[in-house]
Amino acid sequence: MWFSCVQASNSLVTGKSAGRKASCITSVIRVDVSTENIKLLLNEPADQAALTEVLVELLQVDSTLANTTDGGPNNITGNYGIYSKLCVPTDSSVAKSVSTVQFLTHGDTLYSGYWDIAPEYSYVDAAAQAGYATFSYDKIGVGQFDHPDPIQVVQGPLQVEIAHALVQLLRSAQIGSRKFKKVVGVGHSAGSTITVAVSAKYPKDFDAVIISGTTISTTSVPISLASFSFEVAKNDPSGKFAGLRNAYIVQATPQSLQFPFYRYPNFDPAIFNLQYENKQTQTLGELLTLARIVGPAAEFTGPIDVVNGENDFVFCGGDCKYPTDQNVPVIPAFYPKVGPGSQTFLVPGAGHAINAHKSAPKAFDQMLGFLKTNGIL
């Protein structure tokens, strides 16, 4: 893998976080990345009916789609624009002494705004108040910038290499002209899968890792994916995905967001509506390859924090305490050489989208307390 960065000055905008606790710079970072994807033997769906059939064949009980579409290695090289936001505490006297940045990777069908939804629902705000910088970004194929080939290019391996490239830029002061001594990998859902994969392939990238919205159980994943009711994104009534190729897909209705991600009545309807209005794309390429990057980070030795909503449906079937705490087996499975000081936490009353629930501040407090306890300041 190789990378470089060119940041255009006219793409740089300053602003505040949702609760105005952090000062932020948003910009488009261009990275040149080379990786080994998978050649998918899959035609782009001609229409909604064809897309639905692909999903049926992927989720059926005896599915062989992942194997029959595997055409072997596919080397990908490209220059990609990544929308990003670097935030530091608003208090300049605190900001100048910040040496740790939290690298935030969102989950699928979400975007970087998951980390900064609204006042009281902003991990960016909470981190800034605790004295940390945060770096959030839209994964390739999501949000405000590049949407390359959704089958052959936007895949799990490429997401890993882009994340690694961005971490190296943060460590070398090529983003915001700030050099950070420590980088904490923080992921949610598919973002956790990417975070684990980065720490497996590049164990020196992160000094600590916080993963959320993930366990080692996949029992409820198929029904969760079915509940998404994926539609061809360009057909969405909002019109905001017009022009995208048919393998860019989105959740079709508010119910297809609530069922897998939320636990009623433990969320504010206004926050839910905001999240639905800001729903984002998934690609068939990533859907078919994300599992390929799952594996233990055998050489990572830093502390790990595992955070899940008590009622996460996607990875716990709605009860992360059944039959026992589903957080417990995650650390030894993903991080066999885990460092001392590792922790787990079940967020009371929260579903899969932890940050959008009323108990989100409890999750934020635990995550930041984990870092403080481990001397990562």
Side-chain angles (χ1 to χ4, degrees), residues 165-221:
L166 293 171
V167 169
Q168 297 310 301
L169 296 174
L170 285 167
R171 286 193 179 274
S172 59
Q174 294 188 61
I175 300 177
S177 300
R178 297 183 66 103
K179 185 175 182 179
F180 295 99
K181 294 180 180 178
K182 295 181 179 180
V183 180
V184 178
V186 183
H188 173 255
S189 194
S192 290
T193 301
I194 293 166
T195 301
V196 173
V198 170
S199 57
K201 190 171 184 179
Y202 304 103
K204 300 299 184 182
D205 272 14
F206 301 132
D207 297 276
V209 166
I210 302 173
I211 53 176
S212 62
T214 191
T215 70
I216 63 171
S217 173
T218 60
T219 302
S220 299
V221 172

Side-chain angles (χ1 to χ4, degrees), residues 80-318:
Y80 306 107
I82 305 298
Y83 175 85
S84 69
K85 182 165 72 172
L86 176 64
C87 299
V88 298
T90 301
D91 186 333
S92 59
S93 63
V94 176
K96 66 182 181 182
S97 62
V98 170
S99 61
T100 297
V101 61
Q102 299 193 45
F103 185 85
L104 312 178
T105 304
H106 63 83
D108 287 342
T109 76
L110 301 172
Y111 75 119
S112 57
Y114 172 78
W115 304 105
D116 191 31
I117 298 172
E120 307 304 321
Y121 295 86
S122 172
Y123 186 66
V124 171
D125 276 329
Q129 284 188 289
Y132 295 95
T134 55
F135 177 85
S136 55
Y137 68 104
D138 287 346
K139 296 190 302 166
I140 188 70
V142 172
Q144 300 186 38
F145 223 69
D146 287 359
H147 290 77
D149 187 320
I151 294 180
Q152 305 302 342
V153 175
V154 184
Q155 295 186 6
L158 181 66
Q159 300 286 13
V160 171
E161 296 303 336
I162 288 175
H164 169 64
L166 293 171
V167 169
Q168 297 310 301
L169 296 174
L170 285 167
R171 286 193 179 274
S172 59
Q174 294 188 61
I175 300 177
S177 300
R178 297 183 66 103
K179 185 175 182 179
F180 295 99
K181 294 180 180 178
K182 295 181 179 180
V183 180
V184 178
V186 183
H188 173 255
S189 194
S192 290
T193 301
I194 293 166
T195 301
V196 173
V198 170
S199 57
K201 190 171 184 179
Y202 304 103
K204 300 299 184 182
D205 272 14
F206 301 132
D207 297 276
V209 166
I210 302 173
I211 53 176
S212 62
T214 191
T215 70
I216 63 171
S217 173
T218 60
T219 302
S220 299
V221 172
I223 191 172
S224 298
L225 287 174
S227 75
F228 280 28
S229 298
F230 278 127
E231 68 175 353
V232 174
K234 70 180 183 183
N235 295 339
D236 188 76
S238 69
K240 65 181 180 180
F241 306 116
L244 294 183
R245 294 172 59 172
N246 284 1
Y248 277 99
I249 56 181
V250 293
Q251 289 156 301
T253 67
Q255 292 79 15
S256 62
L257 180 68
Q258 180 184 339
F259 185 99
F261 286 177
Y262 287 78
R263 187 69 171 202
Y264 181 85
N266 304 329
F267 58 88
D268 184 331
I271 297 298
F272 174 82
N273 291 336
L274 180 64
Q275 287 295 93
Y276 183 70
E277 290 170 6
N278 289 309
K279 68 180 180 178
Q280 274 298 330
T281 50
Q282 164 72 299
T283 70
L284 286 181
E286 186 168 336
L287 192 61
L288 287 166
T289 61
L290 195 64
R292 310 292 185 92
I293 67 172
V294 175
E299 301 305 317
F300 185 83
T301 58
I304 308 299
D305 192 23
V306 180
V307 181
N308 278 299
E310 179 184 27
N311 299 116
D312 187 303
F313 191 90
V314 180
F315 285 100
C316 296

